[in-house]
Amino acid sequence: MKSLYVKTIGDAGLKTLGTLELMNIPIPKPGEEEALIRIAYNGICGSDGHTLRGNLGPLTEYVKSILPMPVGHEFSGVIEEAGEVAAQMGLKVGDRVVANYARACGSCYYCRTGRENLCQHPINTMSGCSEYICCHMSQIHKIPDSLSLKAAAMTEPFTIAFHAVEMAQVKAGSRVAVFGGGGIGQMAAQLAKQCGASVVTLFEPVKEKRELAVRLGVDNAYDSIQEDVMEVTREVTDGLGYDSVIEASGSRGGATSALQILSPDGNVVYFSMYPTDFDLPLNLFTQCYQQQKHIHGMITSSLIWPRAIAVLPRIEVLPLIQKVYTLDEYQQAFDEHMTGAYAKVMIHCNQDLD
């Protein structure tokens, strides 16, 4: 089968890019507790770009040690074969599914306290840019008939948006700001609106992404580079600031502004992969003591997948998928993704699955 691999990674300091190669490898055979999934679509994630740039911080040397490394973790597909135990648990040939790329160990302290996203011994299945993939039954989730396979490939990034909105404590009447108009930022903005936010503002430098967000329901969208973010905040919130801020851009400017525009007692969530030499400017006396601001870090999601899948049909995700390429066109797909011009670029791994 065809499977895409990272062959080399770039040097973040020299601003070089790594390389990709489409390899032919054997189709994996599922074990008793696994299922073989024929992949329909796989979305390219921002973290894939970080890998090619070599912008992985302390993970850089580890990634170098496992090259060539398979690519892809935002995928949907159809079960081709199910192991005996997986079948007994309800997975059958023909089921339309998505899968969490991270399989938690279930035994460490964090798993046993309901925080599987912090698992100390995860097994990651990162080969979504392939024709087939094997996943453990605990990773696999069936999707409703109302969700196309193309839309379902947005499930993994939607779990991030879902987790961020919950962590930011968005509620009816909240004033919400989102930095970054990529797929996750756009979905977080839509979900915040559905949660009853009184105003949702998107800050994004790419005009087309701002226009897309407005079409999909945000109240206003501004250029985070060309416009004064603080002045916009004063005008939009009557000087109160935003109750909830979700930083989905991964930029230094967005990270700094997110904390600055947060209202007293507000919640800001950071989940992007920031430059490792970046330290967030923070005044503990003013922002934490006097203003009681709440700063949250976040990595992936924890026990959210079933709820996220139930909500995803209510989110406008297909307009976010702006470019789709075949597996053979992987280089063009990644080149387009790396421009940052599109909310989501996707690879159609098996073109007869739609």
Side-chain angles (χ1 to χ4, degrees):
M1 71 169 186
K2 296 176 182 178
S3 183
L4 188 62
Y5 279 73
V6 173
K7 291 288 293 206
T8 64
I9 66 172
D11 186 305
L14 298 175
K15 296 185 178 180
T16 58
L17 289 180
T19 58
L20 298 161
E21 182 179 337
L22 191 61
M23 302 173 68
N24 279 302
I25 64 172
I27 297 175
K29 180 70 177 175
E32 290 186 349
E33 297 183 355
E34 296 178 325
L36 177 68
I37 300 169
R38 191 161 178 255
I39 298 175
Y41 291 92
N42 182 88
I44 301 177
C45 176
S47 64
D48 296 326
H50 282 289
T51 300
L52 288 178
R53 292 187 182 98
N55 185 22
L56 297 169
L59 298 176
T60 301
E61 292 307 313
Y62 167 72
V63 170
K64 286 181 179 178
S65 73
I66 61 171
L67 295 175
M69 181 181 76
V71 185
H73 58 273
E74 302 177 1
F75 58 89
S76 64
V78 176
I79 291 182
E80 184 91 355
E81 182 182 350
E84 182 178 352
V85 177
Q88 290 173 357
M89 296 301 292
L91 296 178
K92 62 183 184 297
V93 174
D95 282 344
R96 300 162 65 251
V97 298
V98 292
N100 185 349
Y101 72 89
R103 176 185 172 187
C105 73
S107 299
C108 72
Y109 173 78
Y110 293 102
C111 283
R112 293 185 179 215
T113 52
R115 293 172 286 177
E116 293 182 346
N117 59 316
L118 297 175
C119 176
Q120 299 297 285
H121 312 289
I123 300 172
N124 293 331
T125 309
M126 306 284 277
S127 53
C129 285
S130 304
E131 292 178 296
Y132 295 89
I133 191 170
C134 252
C135 294
H136 189 263
M137 60 187 185
S138 64
Q139 298 171 261
I140 299 172
H141 301 266
K142 297 180 185 180
I143 59 173
D145 293 338
S146 58
L147 206 57
S148 69
L149 286 168
K150 186 176 181 182
M154 295 292 282
T155 302
E156 193 278 336
F158 182 58
T159 65
I160 308 300
F162 195 107
H163 193 188
V165 167
E166 289 198 329
M167 188 166 277
Q169 298 185 30
V170 175
K171 55 180 74 74
S174 294
R175 301 177 300 274
V176 179
V178 177
F179 283 86
I184 294 175
Q186 298 267 1
M187 290 188 289
Q190 288 188 50
L191 184 57
K193 198 67 180 176
Q194 292 198 19
C195 288
S198 60
V199 62
V200 177
T201 300
L202 180 77
F203 291 103
E204 163 60 49
V206 178
K207 178 183 177 183
E208 290 76 14
K209 289 182 181 178
R210 296 197 303 271
E211 292 173 344
L212 175 61
V214 171
R215 290 200 303 272
L216 297 179
V218 305
D219 296 288
N220 39 59
Y222 298 93
D223 188 327
S224 52
I225 295 177
Q226 298 299 323
E227 300 184 71
D228 187 328
V229 173
M230 293 300 295
E231 182 58 33
V232 166
T233 299
R234 282 189 287 269
E235 291 178 4
V236 173
T237 69
D238 294 326
L240 295 172
Y242 291 94
D243 303 298
S244 302
V245 181
I246 296 170
E247 209 305 292
S249 75
S251 70
R252 299 169 189 254
T256 301
S257 295
L259 182 58
Q260 291 174 340
I261 67 174
L262 186 67
S263 69
D265 200 37
N267 292 274
V268 60
V269 180
Y270 295 99
F271 58 81
S272 297
M273 296 174 68
Y274 299 96
T276 54
D277 62 348
F278 172 64
D279 293 319
L280 180 68
L282 170 67
N283 187 291
L284 289 172
F285 185 90
T286 301
Q287 294 169 309
C288 291
Y289 172 65
Q290 287 186 313
Q291 298 175 345
Q292 194 175 293
K293 293 185 177 183
H294 307 281
I295 304 168
H296 303 271
M298 193 192 97
I299 182 168
T300 65
S301 57
S302 178
L303 305 177
I304 279 174
W305 281 68
R307 290 190 294 137
I309 291 169
V311 173
L312 188 56
R314 297 166 54 187
I315 303 295
E316 292 282 352
V317 297
L318 290 177
L320 303 178
I321 304 168
Q322 297 177 294
K323 293 281 185 176
V324 179
Y325 293 93
T326 67
L327 196 50
D328 290 327
E329 297 170 327
Y330 69 89
Q331 191 61 61
Q332 188 175 355
F334 272 81
D335 288 345
E336 294 277 30
H337 166 78
M338 299 294 277
T339 68
Y342 305 103
K344 179 60 67 175
V345 178
M346 200 163 277
I347 292 178
H348 199 177
C349 298
N350 282 286
Q351 293 179 270
D352 61 317
L353 294 179
D354 216 337

